[in-house]
Amino acid sequence: MSVDGDGTEEPGWEVDPEDEQGAAVVAAVGRQLKVWRETAGLRASDFAARMGYGEDLVRKVEAGRRIPRPEYLDRADEVLGAEGRIAAMKRDVEQARYPKRVRDLANMERRAVEICSYGSHNIHGLLQTARYARALFEMWQPPQTPEEVERGMAARMARRSVFNREPPPALCFIQEEVTLRRPIGGRDIMRRQLEHLLELGSQRNVTIQVMPTDRDEHAGMGGLIQVLKFEDGSAVGRSEGRFNGRPVSDPKRLRILELCYGMIRAQALSPRESAAFIEQVLGET
């Protein structure tokens, strides 16, 4: 989150210049806000004063250079007496708030009827608590700005809506033992993260397995694997160690990823054994 000209925090994010679709949406919303303000006979400075934000921020939003947060649009609706018509723009800007690559992934996750993932470095994004996710973002090097951390956090937390879908998708995760033992953010954060895994794993559509470090055979040495399957029978997959790490949808390549993932599942602990293992690690944390 950055700071505007009068020292107040700006409720929004900078527009990603490489995200043409998102930038177009933000620009259109900014133009509409300016029309509403001018129709109300308010100068930018007067509007900013009534809003409780700096004039510089108001001009950035109207120029399409700043993505307004939901609370900014709610306040503008109230100040301009728009009776919900400005607040309704929140749906338009919601997607533009997140980085395009994350938005594309979230869209696929929302459409998927089955998500399969093997991760070897940290807890899968869909399984992360907010505090664990923040700790991860704050560890990136070179360091991210506070605004980049907030934007990444918002995007990651929004992806968790997949757990509330009806009918629920089948969600299968395999986690390396080290991801459970590395105390990201400290012991308190890690304890809550382990408890969260147990809570999610108790859901009928969620399967969580653990790959113990002491396995002498491991089909996942190529790194991360993800496979998403959709209602129409199509699918997309990705592996760090195959096909240059690029997403693939060709049936032959998908079969290779599914074969590898299936072998990892067979070598990992069963879901029941994994839950017991996570409880053991929790007791040691």
Side-chain angles (χ1 to χ4, degrees):
M1 185 181 294
S2 61
V3 176
D4 70 8
D6 64 4
T8 58
E9 288 187 339
E10 295 188 17
W13 294 275
E14 296 290 343
V15 176
D16 182 355
E18 297 182 2
D19 183 4
E20 295 182 2
Q21 181 181 355
V25 170
V26 175
V29 169
R31 287 193 298 270
Q32 292 180 57
L33 285 169
K34 185 176 182 179
V35 169
W36 273 95
R37 174 180 62 78
E38 292 178 339
T39 300
L42 293 174
R43 295 178 300 177
S45 57
D46 297 329
F47 179 61
R50 295 191 187 185
M51 287 280 290
Y53 298 121
E55 180 181 349
D56 185 54
L57 172 60
V58 169
R59 294 192 181 280
K60 285 180 179 179
V61 169
E62 292 182 351
R65 292 186 288 115
R66 195 79 186 168
I67 304 172
R69 286 178 180 260
E71 56 266 30
Y72 181 97
L73 295 174
D74 285 335
R75 179 59 179 158
D77 191 281
E78 180 182 342
V79 169
L80 296 171
E83 299 180 342
R85 282 168 286 186
I86 290 178
M89 295 180 189
K90 290 187 290 187
R91 292 193 294 267
D92 298 320
V93 300
E94 179 180 11
Q95 293 293 309
R97 291 169 55 193
Y98 312 135
K100 185 176 184 303
R101 61 180 180 79
V102 177
R103 193 166 70 233
D104 292 342
L105 173 60
N107 287 334
M108 286 194 293
E109 289 174 342
R110 276 194 292 269
R111 293 190 298 110
V113 296
E114 182 178 353
I115 298 176
C116 301
S117 178
Y118 159 69
S120 58
H121 195 59
N122 51 51
I123 303 295
H124 189 280
L126 289 176
L127 301 177
Q128 293 174 11
T129 65
R131 293 178 68 197
Y132 179 95
R134 181 179 294 279
L136 283 178
F137 281 118
E138 291 177 343
M139 288 180 186
W140 283 22
Q141 294 294 331
Q144 296 191 86
T145 65
E147 176 178 296
E148 289 171 329
V149 171
E150 291 299 328
R151 191 174 187 180
M153 279 287 299
R156 183 153 298 178
M157 294 301 100
R159 286 173 54 200
R160 298 197 301 185
S161 63
V162 70
F163 289 101
N164 301 321
R165 279 175 41 197
E166 290 293 342
L171 305 172
C172 305
F173 305 93
I174 306 172
Q175 293 287 156
E176 282 290 334
E177 176 182 341
V178 66
T179 67
L180 308 177
R181 294 191 179 278
R182 183 177 291 122
I184 298 295
R187 288 186 175 274
D188 288 344
I189 289 177
M190 199 62 208
R191 282 188 59 84
R192 178 57 192 135
Q193 176 61 67
L194 294 172
E195 291 169 350
H196 186 58
L197 290 180
L198 291 171
E199 291 167 5
L200 291 177
S202 67
Q203 298 183 23
R204 294 181 61 187
N205 64 310
V206 179
T207 300
I208 297 176
Q209 293 179 249
V210 176
M211 174 63 81
T213 301
D214 65 1
R215 286 290 193 261
D216 57 5
E217 291 189 5
H218 194 331
M221 300 309 293
L224 174 148
I225 295 177
Q226 291 181 319
V227 178
L228 286 77
K229 300 180 181 180
F230 308 104
E231 190 172 12
D232 62 2
S234 63
V236 62
R238 183 172 74 89
S239 170
E240 290 178 336
R242 294 181 180 272
F243 315 124
N244 298 316
R246 297 176 180 174
V248 297
S249 55
D250 175 72
K252 292 182 179 179
R253 292 184 172 184
L254 282 170
R255 278 198 293 273
I256 292 174
L257 297 185
E258 290 179 321
L259 173 63
C260 187
Y261 185 80
M263 292 181 68
I264 298 172
R265 288 194 72 174
Q267 293 165 346
L269 298 177
S270 71
R272 181 170 296 182
E273 292 170 334
S274 296
F277 189 91
I278 295 172
E279 288 178 346
Q280 175 187 330
V281 176
L282 177 59
E284 299 170 358
T285 302

